[in-house]
Amino acid sequence: MSLGRSLFRVTLLSAAAMLFAPAPASAQAMLQPPPKAMPANPTVDQNDWWKRSVIYEVYPRSFADSNNDGIGDIQGITRHLDYIQSLGADAIWMTPMFPSPQADFGYDVADYDNVDPQFGTVADVDQLVAQGKTRGVKLLLDFVVNHTSDQHPWFQQSKSSRTNPYRDFYVWHDPKPDGSPPNNWASIFGGSAWTLDPVTKQYYYHFFYPQQPDLNWRNPKVEKAMFDAAEWWLKRGVYGYRLDAVDTMFERTDLKDNKVYPGVDAFGVPNQDHVNNSKQPEVHTELQRLRQMVIDKYPGRILVGETWTSDAQELVQYYGPRNNELQLPMFLNLISLPGLTAPDLRQRITGVETNSVGGWPSFALSNHDSRRVASRYPVPAGASTDDWAKITGALLLTLRGTPVLYYGEELGMVNNDPQRIEDVQDVIGKKGWPKEKGRDGERTPMQWDASANAGFNAGAKPWLPVAPDYKTRNVAAESADPHSVLNFYRTLIALRRTHPAMAGDWKAVDTDDRQVLAYQRSGGGKTVLVLLNLDAKPADVPIEKTQTMEVLQPLAVNRALLISGRVHLDPLGVYVAEITPIP
Ligand code: GLC
Ligand code: CA
């Protein structure tokens, strides 16, 4: 097989072919020590700082509780900035901390220009920005664009009468003649997407809970009010936004019914395709206006998108035709895969890599709405949840682009799902039990140390129970263990910052292999080879020497070993190595 211009040849053989190969003495032997201190990000002060950065998602409710009331808060995050810096994260995306009745734990905003007292104050955000600045850690907020809380003053006005000036801030329609909702659109959080207001006798529309009425972005006053809110925080030193649920911002004005499919969702509602109330073309016009009229006025500010797309073709629309929309539409498609296989990943990553506008990739493997990656897939015999955490971490951190890392993934935190409906906090879990258990399991308190409540607070009952593995799976214990998931992450993040190849191109190698995902990163005259055995079987990768043959300098390794001309990978084995030319 020819690898074109590459300096070496790699042929991946199936496990069966290598049955009689001698087993490696110790697959851990070549693990590199973690860095003592995280090297500085070389682009920290540039306007494209985000291209070499790692974005760390913090769910404030669950990260650290500074005043011991059971709920994490902004001061808790500020107290742990040293940790975030030591991890090598360059920016925090903090999920909503605005005043909110918390029907959807903050994704129901009652005031965009303020902070919910349970999370702190505006001064606390200012302090987080200032303290972050001294550590090279920027702050991104979560901008909930599709809807507000039903307690937002705009909605309170809007529902007060049909003639109120705020009426058109939301989407109101008359009932059908029989009194039923205007059409068949279902909320993805259960039931109809329409709720009747008994006073004004019209239905209002909500893609999510009834407590989250959709804003009417066709009203220029909504745009103005929302753009002002976005700018308000930029002026305070916030570096941009993760935009929530962007594909739901617009819906068809003719209210065409969605096509219904056989079967029902977790809430008992017939399945439907949502084509008429999501992913409308107006979304892109509006996001481009937000970029141009607000974000681009402030140097270095960015928009990250919660962009659930079915493939890279759909993703490309969110970059905008001239890269004038979102800098970082997250490619979330890898999260929805039923399993992680080399062919699926290769195809999807290649799709993002070759996107037609040359948009900068941004991958995420988990977030506050998805199962923790270490507990998402079956663990092969002989491997562990740590191994899943490491191989997925290696994937996320060695791809080109900007990874978005959910808090606790760097420890290999696992889901701690509620066992009884009485214990569920997330309303979709209460409504959909047991088919839909909600998102509590992936939102449990960050595990700092082995003390009570994992160091989340000083002993008050946390809003969600700490996962039982916290005594060993925590920042303190893993910092001290050179083989921990945390130190593996640190090694890879340091590599991203220092190795010129990690700032360069991405190219798949051995594109037919069904077991091992192999790729090269190349830049600055250097090349790094990444081998990920995603299978439950071992694999051997012969490194065939040629005239210009290379030496493999291992940079990060787990369950893999270089043995005379081949790399042996155990199930979920990872091998990241520099390939250096022989003079
Ligand atoms: C996004 C958020 C999710 C929230 C929903 C409604 O998907 O990530 O947590 O429930 O939007 O705002
Ligand atoms: Ca608190």
Side-chain angles (χ1 to χ4, degrees):
M1 169 194 348
S2 160
L3 291 166
R5 292 187 296 109
S6 69
L7 300 167
F8 66 102
R9 289 218 307 166
V10 179
T11 312
L12 309 187
L13 299 186
S14 76
M18 300 303 297
L19 214 55
F20 302 106
S26 159
Q28 288 283 5
M30 298 179 84
L31 190 66
Q32 294 296 298
K36 291 220 165 60
M38 189 55 64
N41 179 339
T43 62
V44 69
D45 294 322
Q46 298 169 14
N47 282 345
D48 63 351
W49 61 273
W50 43 275
K51 288 195 172 170
R52 288 205 66 181
S53 295
V54 173
I55 298 176
Y56 188 65
E57 179 189 353
V58 172
Y59 197 72
R61 225 180 160 74
S62 302
F63 198 62
D65 172 16
S66 72
N67 64 346
N68 199 36
D69 63 357
I71 293 171
D73 42 59
I74 295 164
Q75 288 198 15
I77 302 171
T78 307
R79 284 187 197 178
H80 286 289
L81 272 172
D82 286 340
Y83 169 72
I84 294 171
Q85 181 188 23
S86 80
L87 191 60
D90 311 277
I92 299 168
W93 146 33
M94 177 165 69
T95 64
M97 75 309 158
F98 312 99
S100 163
Q102 307 288 324
D104 191 17
F105 297 116
Y107 283 97
D108 46 326
V109 178
D111 177 359
Y112 288 93
D113 299 346
N114 228 314
V115 173
D116 195 299
Q118 70 182 309
F119 295 128
T121 61
V122 172
D124 289 338
V125 177
D126 291 344
Q127 197 196 15
L128 178 56
V129 168
Q131 297 281 315
K133 195 168 181 191
T134 66
R135 293 169 177 83
V137 179
K138 298 177 168 68
L139 181 65
L140 307 173
L141 297 183
D142 204 316
F143 193 25
V144 185
V145 285
N146 175 62
H147 48 266
T148 69
S149 161
D150 63 347
Q151 300 305 308
H152 195 293
W154 301 339
F155 189 72
Q156 292 294 309
Q157 291 281 330
S158 182
K159 72 172 209 177
S160 67
S161 88
R162 288 195 186 201
T163 54
N164 186 281
Y166 284 91
R167 186 66 169 183
D168 287 343
F169 262 53
Y170 297 85
V171 182
W172 292 95
H173 280 282
D174 287 332
K176 282 187 175 164
D178 67 354
S180 63
N183 66 14
N184 78 344
W185 296 350
S187 158
I188 54 151
F189 282 176
S192 170
W194 299 95
T195 293
L196 183 68
D197 169 47
V199 178
T200 60
K201 300 198 169 44
Q202 278 190 316
Y203 281 91
Y204 68 88
Y205 171 74
H206 49 87
F207 191 84
F208 298 96
Y209 294 129
Q211 295 92 330
Q212 295 169 299
D214 273 48
L215 284 163
N216 172 22
W217 278 89
R218 297 180 195 279
N219 179 349
K221 290 185 183 144
V222 167
E223 182 192 76
K224 168 89 174 63
M226 291 297 275
F227 283 11
D228 285 351
E231 198 157 350
W232 196 81
W233 290 103
L234 295 185
K235 285 188 186 139
R236 304 197 84 88
V238 162
Y239 256 78
Y241 293 97
R242 175 263 192 187
L243 300 174
D244 185 61
V246 285
D247 47 355
T248 62
M249 284 172 86
F250 286 85
E251 41 291 318
R252 279 176 69 131
T253 49
D254 64 1
L255 303 188
K256 190 169 183 235
D257 272 350
N258 283 331
K259 195 169 157 200
V260 173
Y261 289 102
V264 292
D265 65 18
F267 313 102
V269 178
N271 290 322
Q272 57 176 250
D273 59 11
H274 296 292
V275 286
N276 297 317
N277 55 339
S278 68
K279 299 186 179 169
Q280 299 300 301
E282 293 91 331
V283 168
H284 301 290
T285 331
E286 195 56 58
L287 294 177
Q288 287 165 28
R289 284 171 66 82
L290 173 63
R291 171 78 180 272
Q292 188 204 339
M293 293 164 69
V294 182
I295 299 299
D296 284 351
K297 280 177 27 189
Y298 298 82
R301 292 339 193 243
I302 60 169
L303 292 174
V304 183
E306 188 201 14
T307 37
W308 291 97
T309 55
S310 39
D311 53 28
Q313 259 74 45
E314 216 175 270
L315 181 80
V316 85
Q317 300 174 24
Y318 287 99
Y319 289 111
R322 293 175 306 285
N323 272 296
N324 56 340
E325 201 167 317
L326 311 183
Q327 286 99 331
L328 298 175
M330 286 183 278
F331 190 65
L332 302 171
N333 199 245
L334 305 182
I335 298 179
S336 356
L337 295 174
L340 295 183
T341 68
D344 275 355
L345 289 171
R346 191 181 295 122
Q347 189 231 334
R348 285 172 171 77
I349 296 162
T350 304
V352 176
E353 275 290 328
T354 54
N355 75 77
S356 56
V357 298
W360 187 253
S362 177
F363 293 97
L365 291 178
S366 49
N367 58 37
H368 64 285
D369 299 322
S370 321
R371 290 187 72 70
R372 293 240 177 225
V373 77
S375 36
R376 200 179 300 156
Y377 314 106
V379 180
S384 62
T385 47
D386 274 20
D387 296 324
W388 264 124
K390 287 180 183 171
I391 196 167
T392 49
L395 173 68
L396 183 71
L397 299 169
T398 61
L399 290 176
R400 193 172 72 97
T402 304
V404 182
L405 172 62
Y406 184 47
Y407 84 91
E409 295 292 276
E410 74 277 19
L411 305 175
M413 274 175 68
V414 296
N415 259 63
N416 186 28
D417 299 310
Q419 301 301 312
R420 310 175 312 166
I421 186 171
E422 303 88 284
D423 299 329
V424 176
Q425 299 280 342
D426 187 15
V427 176
I428 57 169
K430 293 184 195 179
K431 286 169 85 174
W433 190 273
K435 222 171 151 186
E436 167 64 69
K437 292 191 168 140
R439 299 162 289 183
D440 294 352
E442 56 261 24
R443 298 175 174 180
T444 59
M446 174 69 172
Q447 293 163 204
W448 295 103
D449 58 39
S451 70
N453 294 342
F456 169 69
N457 64 11
K461 189 173 177 223
W463 79 287
L464 284 174
V466 176
D469 63 359
Y470 78 92
K471 290 227 158 126
T472 49
R473 192 180 295 286
N474 61 59
V475 171
E478 292 196 33
S479 294
D481 172 4
H483 300 299
S484 68
V485 177
L486 178 58
N487 277 323
F488 193 71
Y489 267 71
R490 285 191 167 132
T491 300
L492 289 166
I493 295 174
L495 186 67
R496 288 178 62 82
R497 291 189 162 206
T498 51
H499 202 292
M502 302 305 285
D505 297 341
W506 179 94
K507 189 173 122 211
V509 189
D510 232 317
T511 50
D512 296 329
D513 194 272
R514 303 195 62 77
Q515 178 172 0
V516 176
L517 179 66
Y519 48 87
Q520 285 176 35
R521 302 293 316 277
S522 316
K526 305 234 177 208
T527 299
V528 165
L529 171 71
V530 178
L531 302 174
L532 305 173
N533 179 15
L534 293 150
D535 210 285
K537 301 181 301 238
D540 280 81
V541 183
I543 309 291
E544 196 181 313
K545 301 201 173 192
T546 67
Q547 235 184 329
T548 50
M549 184 44 200
E550 314 313 326
V551 183
L552 293 174
Q553 296 288 346
L555 299 165
V557 176
N558 186 52
R559 298 172 61 80
L561 200 60
L562 177 67
I563 331 165
S564 59
R566 67 193 167 93
V567 179
H568 176 86
L569 296 144
D570 280 345
L572 306 187
V574 174
Y575 198 82
V576 180
E578 182 177 335
I579 304 159
T580 18
I582 293 171

